Amino acid sequence: MDHFGALGTFVLAAHTRSFTEAGRRIGLSASAVGKAVARLEADLGVRLFHRSTRAITLTAEGGLFLERCNRIFAEYEVARNELTLAAGKPQGKLRVGLPQLGTNLMPHLIAFQQAYPDVELELEFSDRLVNVIEEGFDAVMRIGDVEDSRLVMRKLNGYSHRLLASPTYLARHGVPDQPSDLSAHSCLRYRYPSSGKLDPWPLVTNDQEGMPDVPRSATANAIEPLLAMAEAGLGIACLPDFSVEEAVATGRLVPVLEAYVRDYRTFSILWPWSRQPLPKIKAFVDFMAKRLG
């Protein structure tokens, strides 16, 4: 049963006091309107109209039901007007999920907030693989490709990792020439907060014995502490290239073993599929894609 359509037919009949006039306005016969009202009465278990050969009048129950229906349609009209307004202007809360290293995107996120002050950003940083739809995210930014027919994906600029250490550390401990040399060095490792696993270093070697285990002298579940420890001369760290550009340019950190690093990670933005995405989502996707390629 089309409950919303039935409610509309009932309200129109109640306001016109005529099945014939109600039918004329919506393109139905008086008989069809009467049958629709009868089905609604059967569904509710009450009689909504007193019927006579000349007119229809509301029963007491029909009068109460009409008041409730009027409020339902009034709320619907308000909601429709709000969505119509939203269709033309990005506004409202925008819940975005980002990986832990997404804190480095803060300059772009701040710029978006400044460009769209009517959008309220709600940011959640986590390496946990969130369920975009079930958990109510408007968009997520993830590392790597994601296959989900319910989501739309747009690839952004990727990034690579680099092994780096401070000049003072390298002066004290020497510069490693090949991956096996790392066994004699202090290595600063990233640990995923969601799984507790260490992020493997993206090293390659022609050594038939395989890649030696990378030792660890300290671990952290965020990029910033590893960067600070590396700059302080505590060891070699494996860090995203975008997070170390300034440190390398100013000489605070020096890349090592670059010939042995093979790494490229895709960065993507995803959002729930819709024939017409909400303006706030479209604005966010377009803004971030423009700034991040």
Side-chain angles (χ1 to χ4, degrees), residues 32-49:
V33 172
K35 289 178 180 178
V37 171
R39 287 194 297 269
L40 182 60
E41 290 176 325
D43 185 59
L44 296 172
V46 297
R47 194 170 184 82
L48 300 174
F49 289 103

Side-chain angles (χ1 to χ4, degrees), residues 9 16 28 55 88 93 110 136 178-179 181 188 194 211 220 234 236 267 271 277 279 288 291:
T9 301
T16 60
L28 295 176
K93 181 180 291 185
I110 291 171
Q178 54 188 350
D181 293 341
L188 312 171
S194 56
M211 184 62 59
L234 298 183
I236 301 173
F267 207 46
W271 65 98
M288 299 304 287
R291 291 182 68 100

Side-chain angles (χ1 to χ4, degrees), residues 60-72:
E61 292 82 1
L64 292 173
F65 191 60
L66 177 62
E67 292 179 6
R68 181 71 68 176
C69 289
N70 285 336
R71 288 198 292 271
I72 290 172

Side-chain angles (χ1 to χ4, degrees), residues 211-235:
M211 184 62 59
D213 290 335
V214 177
R216 62 179 185 270
S217 60
T219 62
N221 63 0
I223 297 300
E224 292 79 4
L226 297 175
L227 177 60
M229 286 189 285
E231 291 185 358
L234 298 183

